[in-house]
Amino acid sequence: TMNGGTISNNTSQIRGGGVNVGADTNFVMSGGTIYDNTARYGGGAFNGGTFTMSGNANISGNTAAWGGGVRNDNATFTMNGGTISNNDAIRVFPTSGPDTGGFGGGVSNFNSTFTMNDGIISYNNAISADPDVPSQGGAVSNHGNSDIFNMNGGIISGNTAVQGGGVAAGQIFNMSGGRIFGNTADEVGDGVFNASLEAIITHTGGIIADSVHGFTVGTHVAEVEVTTQPLLSYIPGGTLDLSGLTVTLTMGNASTQATVFADFTANDLTADPAHGTVLTIAAHNGNPIVITHGASGQTASTNNITVAAPTAPAIPATPTTPAHGISAPSPRPGTPAFILHEAMAAARRAVSEVAATASNYTTAESILGAVRAVMPQGAAADWSSGTQFALVPATVGQDGSISGLLIISAGPYSSAIPLNITIPAPGAAGTAANTFFLQLDSFVITDQGGNAVITMDVLPVIQDERTLIPVRFISGALGANVGWNADTRQVTLTQDGQRLTFVIGQTAPGMDVPAQIIGDRTMVPLRFISEFFGATVIWHETERLIEITR
């Protein structure tokens, strides 16, 4: 057992310049250094029994014809850690014939089993002394009739040889983990060389970034890495939003694929907790999101989620005016206070918008859904990825009334908007007019008497000779219900059994201009939406006025 110390500057004419492990011997090396030793077989160590290497053990700077660092002969070698580096396999004593050397700069195996679970084999060299006998296996050479090399982890990098800069596989090479990269071969197989072309090589895990000879590199997913963190700060009752999450999949051949959350299912990826999970302090605060690739079992974790009740006082939606008559300054742009200030104003508009078109909804749940649909869309489009919304209905009355709170949080700040909406009875006042008008430079949709039916918060936009207005205002005027799917960015309009579905940035059949988010509003072509639900649209050029009749 070697836990420390140094074995150096020793020479053996045959076996083990530093250490010779006999057939019935168990050598455990968890520390210390074996360096600058020389032998024909195993410059650092010759192993004829059982050799286990781990921890900070270091075998470096040794020289041998076969196995500059370690030579295993009818033996078992397990590497759980440590480093084998800067060793050379080259003929060191005068000889001729098949014993010219140059095999296994780091490790040479003959009828042995080598299992690598961890550790590093790097910057070793297999050097040809005879031009007719090319060197093999800069890091590892297997050349017996019953060699088995199992690589489950660790790194093989920066090694050189004429054939097989990293590994020269003689019989059986099973790779289920680890990385082989940055190795060089003068002829073939920078990473792995099938020395006999009859070796059985399986690659089910791990990464081979270098070229190979005589077999096919696996196309499995070898690693999953989180490259873009999702939103991680929430208030209790907020729903987990993974829309900003991106991972990189690294394949067995070292190729990579960036995968956004929308493509997780197609790439056999799952997240725990899942998108849309209602978060609590007890269950989720301080825990990461774990992403798992189903086929390979590879996992990656995000940073920890923070779920915390806001402790700072609420920020008012509008600046207050102190008693001395000088207006208080607005919050500075980019700060959490400013973000909340903007979000509160937009939230008030959203609640007012849904309340104004309450006659379009048939259930309390549809009103709650409409409010939920407005707010995350606006947050993602304009304010900040750090803005959170939680809709907490307190009561849903039998008469269709809803009383609750829309809680908004940005950084350490939070506030709430009372939500009090009643669904009018069928036939009650407030239903949309049969004919209404929109002036292109006006925020107001009016009826035939010039009375305001709906007041928009943005002006119409002209694009490709089409008028675009916010979907919730035109749907409100037409009496259509609106649904929003944040995962797919899909809008659904329904009215009297008719259903229209389209995706932001894409056109539906017959729609020549796609719906799009401008500011914090989903803008849609007015004529297409109106005519889909049976309305007639007339353009008055002189007045620049749009007339819509249902």
Side-chain angles (χ1 to χ4, degrees), residues 14 75 94 105 144 190 221 233 282 292 298 301 330 337 347 361 414 444 453 488 492 524-525 528:
I14 304 296
D190 287 337
V221 172
S233 297
T292 302
Q298 295 292 324
S301 297
S330 297
Y361 304 96
S414 70
V444 181
V453 176
T488 60
T492 301
V524 297
F528 174 80

Side-chain angles (χ1 to χ4, degrees), residues 106-162:
V107 179
S108 168
N109 297 311
F110 180 77
N111 295 338
S112 297
T113 298
F114 173 23
T115 301
M116 184 176 183
N117 298 316
D118 203 351
I120 299 173
I121 304 178
S122 63
Y123 302 107
N124 302 282
N125 306 290
I127 304 168
S128 294
D130 186 337
D132 295 326
V133 183
S135 65
Q136 295 181 353
V140 179
S141 174
N142 302 300
H143 42 266
N145 294 324
S146 58
D147 286 312
I148 300 175
F149 177 28
N150 300 313
M151 186 173 180
N152 305 318
I155 293 173
I156 294 178
S157 176
N159 305 281
T160 67
V162 174

Side-chain angles (χ1 to χ4, degrees), residues 271-352:
D272 183 22
H275 178 76
T277 297
V278 178
L279 301 173
T280 66
I281 295 176
H284 304 103
N285 184 50
N287 296 322
I289 303 159
V290 179
I291 297 91
T292 302
H293 182 257
S296 68
Q298 295 292 324
T299 63
S301 297
T302 67
N303 295 337
N304 289 339
I305 301 171
T306 299
V307 184
T311 56
I315 299 300
T318 56
T320 59
T321 302
H324 50 65
I326 301 175
S327 297
S330 297
R332 185 162 49 88
T335 63
F338 177 83
I339 293 169
L340 183 63
H341 181 278
E342 296 298 300
M344 287 287 292
R348 292 183 189 280
R349 292 196 302 266
V351 172
S352 297

Side-chain angles (χ1 to χ4, degrees), residues 278-453:
V278 178
L279 301 173
T280 66
I281 295 176
H284 304 103
N285 184 50
N287 296 322
I289 303 159
V290 179
I291 297 91
T292 302
H293 182 257
S296 68
Q298 295 292 324
T299 63
S301 297
T302 67
N303 295 337
N304 289 339
I305 301 171
T306 299
V307 184
T311 56
I315 299 300
T318 56
T320 59
T321 302
H324 50 65
I326 301 175
S327 297
S330 297
R332 185 162 49 88
T335 63
F338 177 83
I339 293 169
L340 183 63
H341 181 278
E342 296 298 300
M344 287 287 292
R348 292 183 189 280
R349 292 196 302 266
V351 172
S352 297
E353 176 187 327
V354 173
T357 58
S359 58
N360 297 337
Y361 304 96
T362 57
T363 65
E365 288 74 15
S366 64
I367 286 186
L368 294 179
V371 176
R372 285 184 187 276
V374 173
M375 299 315 301
Q377 179 182 345
D382 188 24
W383 306 314
S384 168
S385 60
T387 306
Q388 289 300 305
F389 302 87
L391 187 60
V392 185
T395 60
V396 179
Q398 293 182 348
D399 61 352
S401 62
I402 301 173
S403 299
L405 291 175
L406 181 62
I407 302 174
I408 307 172
S409 175
Y413 301 105
S414 70
S415 192
I417 295 175
L419 187 68
N420 297 293
I421 299 175
T422 300
I423 300 175
T431 57
N434 289 328
T435 300
F436 48 93
F437 303 88
L438 173 62
Q439 197 93 34
L440 285 189
D441 57 356
S442 173
F443 290 93
V444 181
I445 297 175
T446 62
D447 61 15
Q448 289 175 300
N451 301 308
V453 176

